[in-house]
Amino acid sequence: MSQLIIFDTTMRDGEQSPGASMNKDEKVRIGKALEKMKVDIIEAGFAAASPGDFESIVAVAQAVKESTICSLARAVDGDIDRAAQALKHAERSRIHTFIATSPIHMEHKLRMSPDQVVERAVYAVKRARNLVADVEFSCEDAGRSDMDFLCRVIEAAIDAGASTINIPDTVGYAIPEEFGHNIRTLLERIPNSDKAIFSVHCHNDLGLAVANSLAAVANGARQVECTINGLGERAGNAALEEVVMGIRTRSDLFDVTCNIDTQIIVPTSRMVSSITGFPVQPNKAIVGANAFAHEAGIHQDGVLKHRETYEIMRAEDVGWGANKMVLGKHSGRAAFRARMDELGIAFDSDQELNVVFTRFKELADKKHDIFDEDLQALVSATRSIDDKYQLVTLEAHSQTGETPTAELTLAVMGKEVTARSGGSGPVDAAFKAIEEVAKSAASVQLYSVNAITSGTDSQGEVSVRLEQAGRIVNGLGADTDIVVASAKAYINALNLLQGDNLKAHPQASV
Ligand code: KIV
Ligand code: ZN
């Protein structure tokens, strides 16, 4: 059986989803969870994108020692050098450099001839190889590239020192049979293909990212690039959890094995969702709330009599239920701290721990059992303590036949301001009251509410996506009262808009 390398790009391609940006601390938390999951390679960002991205890669490289840490770099000197600098402290590092190879990208984006593209690819790989031992080369838009040209550029990149060759279906255009066939053709036709691992990176525009990745594995690919929850540019990337469980569950078809500790999947999915503000749809495979719920009586009956009648995987194998350990009103500081440690949440100071612990006690007064998801939400909320806008109080009123109203007090850089508004519902009224104070003129692009855990005393987790002058952010808020959760999410989004997180997009032309 051969080894399938799992390359996670949640913090790079995943971060390219609108509003999904993660700060340094959040990336370290995700990086540690991925390391615990035994992900082989973690693409922690695109070092040249912004000083913030650079610092985040440095921090992940310092915190994570078991997985290889990777930075993306376009095939230009500045990007490659910056990637190498960011990876200086990594135990194991990789530079992932790329250039587009499809006729449409070469002509319209790069304005380069095929010869120039080959020359640049070779140059970039050599430059990266002078800085780190492990270099991956990607042919951007390989899914729409000419086979003869792909063979030519890949052979040259391997000769120049690339030990991994990635074949991205950048625009999610491929169909599984065709994509698998293309991988096999490349492996067979390129004379030095045995000197590199062939990897795939599939986008989900046609809903085929996982199917294409698995077809590639069946045809010889030995690295899959994927993201937690399938996060990623546009319709996202192949979901790590689906790829991993696909090859595990159908080991009769796939002659590969991977290192992933599948029991860490669900907690990590929750963490990524709560950090990015991207909720997981209930019917999402593996990590959706309904993925292992058997509603119809006939199914339940079958499962109770003999589990395999309707279950092809065990919920506990992917981490459902591993999270059951609950804390409550009487849990002490030691139990609280121990659980936080297990969740990979570290505190910068005892003071920070005290603040979160106090909030935990307040929540425990309102809610009987505190789950891991509640703790994650508490930490996210507490880390926003220095933000420009803070919610002080909120009173919402709604009654059948009357216009709902909300009155709230916000602290704006410490100074309290009160506003009142009506709206089509209490949430709308609360948002309007916030806008009375903030006057951001941001537009709400997405609003969603999820119960963090089950039960009517569960906290509601609200995600609000705001757009302001072309910038998009996702705010998250959690509370047992969903109007309060909504206001917190809106305020969180406003605070994110204050930050200066302008970044270069790696796939824009240089
Ligand atoms: O989709 C893509 O082509 C990419 C590359 C940069 C690997 O994300
Ligand atoms: Zn991509």
Side-chain angles (χ1 to χ4, degrees):
M1 236 192 232
S2 44
Q3 186 72 18
L4 181 68
I5 297 168
I6 299 296
F7 176 115
D8 179 276
T9 182
T10 306
M11 296 194 274
R12 197 279 296 169
D13 212 315
E15 204 190 22
Q16 287 170 218
S17 313
S21 60
M22 307 155 201
N23 65 30
K24 186 167 82 180
D25 288 351
E26 292 165 340
K27 282 200 170 182
V28 168
R29 270 166 70 200
I30 294 177
K32 283 178 140 320
L34 295 174
E35 177 185 42
K36 190 167 171 199
M37 202 196 282
K38 299 195 169 46
V39 162
D40 300 288
I41 297 153
I42 299 174
E43 189 164 51
F46 167 41
S50 68
D53 260 52
F54 179 88
E55 291 305 331
S56 297
I57 298 173
V58 172
V60 174
Q62 282 167 340
V64 173
K65 294 296 165 201
E66 298 298 324
S67 312
T68 296
I69 307 301
C70 173
S71 169
L72 186 69
R74 290 166 296 191
V76 294
D77 291 358
D79 279 23
I80 294 167
D81 297 354
R82 197 83 177 127
Q85 277 167 21
L87 294 169
K88 221 165 52 201
H89 300 289
E91 197 86 16
R92 278 180 286 274
S93 56
R94 170 179 292 188
I95 294 181
H96 173 193
T97 187
F98 73 100
I99 192 162
T101 51
S102 64
I104 187 167
H105 276 229
M106 289 191 288
E107 185 183 339
H108 298 288
K109 182 176 94 164
L110 299 176
R111 302 205 167 143
M112 287 168 77
S113 69
D115 285 350
Q116 288 173 318
V117 166
V118 176
E119 197 182 313
R120 179 73 74 80
V122 167
Y123 174 81
V125 170
K126 284 189 173 157
R127 189 173 184 100
R129 274 292 266 126
N130 279 332
L131 299 166
V132 295
D134 181 352
V135 173
E136 170 170 333
F137 172 72
S138 281
C139 310
E140 190 191 3
D141 204 17
R144 293 186 299 170
S145 299
D146 171 71
M147 182 53 77
D148 289 342
F149 183 61
L150 274 182
C151 289
R152 182 177 158 210
V153 71
I154 291 171
E155 183 181 349
I158 296 173
D159 274 346
S163 47
T164 301
I165 296 295
N166 184 39
I167 310 298
D169 180 24
T170 303
V171 292
Y173 180 71
I175 300 294
E177 207 179 336
E178 167 204 41
F179 195 63
H181 177 260
N182 287 349
I183 298 299
R184 183 161 297 279
T185 306
L186 290 170
L187 285 164
E188 285 171 0
R189 278 188 42 190
I190 297 171
N192 54 2
S193 65
D194 61 325
K195 306 265 180 323
I197 301 280
F198 275 62
S199 163
V200 290
H201 171 114
C202 297
H203 279 271
N204 206 29
D205 300 67
L206 292 173
L208 293 170
V210 171
N212 284 329
S213 305
L214 293 181
V217 172
N219 283 282
R222 288 295 174 262
Q223 175 178 290
V224 172
E225 302 197 355
C226 43
T227 57
I228 302 292
N229 300 337
L231 201 66
E233 187 87 39
R234 304 181 311 282
N237 289 69
L240 179 149
E241 60 276 11
E242 294 176 26
V243 171
V244 168
M245 293 315 290
I247 61 155
R248 286 262 162 107
T249 308
R250 297 307 309 271
S251 56
D252 54 326
L253 295 180
F254 295 100
D255 195 23
V256 293
T257 172
C258 71
N259 289 331
I260 297 298
D261 178 350
T262 58
Q263 292 192 346
I264 315 293
I265 286 178
V266 168
T268 309
S269 157
R270 293 290 173 94
M271 177 191 283
V272 168
S273 168
S274 99
I275 286 176
T276 57
F278 271 69
V280 175
Q281 74 196 57
N283 58 333
K284 164 81 180 64
I286 321 288
V287 293
N290 290 354
F292 291 89
H294 296 270
E295 183 72 43
I298 186 158
H299 285 206
Q300 273 184 5
D301 182 52
V303 170
L304 289 176
K305 284 188 182 131
H306 186 71
R307 180 181 204 142
E308 278 86 30
T309 43
Y310 285 99
E311 269 190 17
I312 57 165
M313 297 169 277
R314 294 175 349 144
E316 51 275 36
D317 288 349
V318 294
W320 284 106
N323 256 4
K324 279 272 156 56
M325 152 93 190
V326 288
L327 297 177
K329 212 179 158 116
H330 302 295
S331 307
R333 239 165 153 272
F336 175 78
R337 183 170 219 150
R339 195 64 198 144
M340 288 299 200
D341 278 351
E342 280 168 34
L343 290 174
I345 298 170
F347 294 99
D348 293 337
S349 61
D350 277 354
Q351 195 197 353
E352 193 189 13
L353 170 71
N354 290 342
V355 174
V356 186
F357 186 64
T358 307
R359 293 204 174 183
F360 156 71
K361 286 287 184 183
E362 284 163 10
L363 181 62
D365 274 338
K366 293 194 248 169
K367 188 174 184 291
H368 191 257
D369 296 328
I370 308 288
F371 294 88
D372 292 345
E373 293 85 344
D374 295 311
L375 297 178
Q376 305 263 18
L378 268 185
V379 173
S380 301
T382 311
R383 295 220 154 129
S384 58
I385 235 146
D386 299 327
D387 287 340
K388 176 172 178 185
Y389 300 106
Q390 308 267 349
L391 179 65
V392 181
T393 57
L394 167 62
E395 191 184 318
H397 184 256
S398 65
Q399 188 177 333
T400 323
E402 289 202 1
T403 302
T405 55
E407 181 173 317
L408 52 77
T409 300
L410 293 186
V412 185
M413 304 215 286
K415 185 162 176 277
E416 293 194 2
V417 188
T418 299
R420 185 171 204 281
S421 179
S424 59
V427 171
D428 187 47
F431 287 2
K432 287 189 167 124
I434 296 169
E435 273 302 313
E436 286 281 311
V437 179
K439 300 194 184 348
S440 75
S443 65
V444 177
Q445 296 213 323
L446 186 139
Y447 170 77
S448 78
V449 188
N450 270 300
I452 295 190
T453 52
S454 54
T456 48
D457 74 341
S458 164
Q459 292 201 90
E461 184 171 59
V462 175
S463 174
V464 171
R465 181 177 300 169
L466 291 186
E467 193 264 349
Q468 185 194 52
R471 276 189 66 202
I472 295 177
V473 292
N474 288 320
L476 261 200
D479 200 279
T480 47
D481 177 330
I482 62 159
V483 182
V484 175
S486 303
K488 285 182 178 173
Y490 194 102
I491 292 165
N492 178 225
L494 284 180
N495 286 320
L496 291 171
L497 281 173
Q498 308 305 308
D500 168 24
N501 63 353
L502 280 185
K503 316 175 169 218
H505 190 290
Q507 283 151 291
S509 34
V510 188

